[in-house]
């Protein structure tokens, strides 16, 4: 872990699920490194701002990740916790997926007919 005195800043979207997942990652890091101060930077993505437009019509999944990636590239955040499904298929130059948390039970889902 770095030796800087400044907080470790974790960026993520403002959605309820993103906040829960990001805070979970923050708590896990805090357990491993109790002396590190962690702060969260909650981002409203273009996808959040354009919620009334269909995803296919608004530019695709990348809309949810671009703002978070910009925080990392502009060094306003040290790491991010995006949803993997929101990441574009091609990675962004200068960024890597460094870790993924353990997945919860994948059988926890709802399957329903189309109607």
């Amino acid at each position: 872990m770095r030796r800087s005195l400044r907080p470790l800043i974790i960026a993520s979207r403002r959605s309820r699920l993103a906040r829960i997942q990001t805070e979970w990652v923050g708590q896990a890091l805090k357990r491993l490194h109790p002396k590190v101060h962690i702060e969260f930077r909650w981002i409203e993505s273009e996808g959040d701002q354009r919620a009334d437009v269909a995803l296919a019509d608004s530019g695709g999944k990348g809309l949810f990740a671009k703002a978070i990636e910009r925080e990392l590239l502009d060094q306003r955040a040290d790491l991010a916790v995006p949803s993997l499904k929101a990441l574009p298929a091609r990675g962004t130059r200068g960024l890597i997926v460094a870790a993924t948390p353990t997945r919860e039970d994948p059988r926890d889902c709802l399957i329903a007919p189309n109607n």
Side-chain angles (χ1 to χ4, degrees), residues 32-46:
L32 292 171
H33 303 282
K35 293 182 180 180
V36 173
H37 178 69
I38 295 174
E39 291 183 4
F40 300 101
R41 184 177 304 270
W42 305 115
I43 307 301
E44 185 173 21
S45 70
E46 187 177 343

Side-chain angles (χ1 to χ4, degrees), residues 40-101:
F40 300 101
R41 184 177 304 270
W42 305 115
I43 307 301
E44 185 173 21
S45 70
E46 187 177 343
D48 296 318
Q49 296 168 0
R50 300 175 69 185
D52 58 331
V53 180
L55 188 59
D57 297 334
S58 63
K61 291 195 230 180
L63 290 178
F64 291 99
K66 284 180 187 175
I68 295 170
E69 289 177 343
R70 179 61 32 216
E71 293 295 307
L72 292 167
L73 292 169
D74 291 346
Q75 299 181 356
R76 291 187 296 261
D78 300 301
L79 64 119
V81 181
S83 172
L84 286 176
K85 69 181 181 183
L87 294 179
R90 292 183 184 212
T92 300
R93 183 179 293 238
L95 301 177
I96 61 168
V97 176
T100 56

Side-chain angles (χ1 to χ4, degrees), residues 20-33:
I20 289 168
Q21 291 172 331
T22 303
E23 288 169 354
W24 182 87
V25 168
Q27 290 166 3
L29 287 170
K30 194 72 173 164
R31 281 192 302 276
L32 292 171
H33 303 282

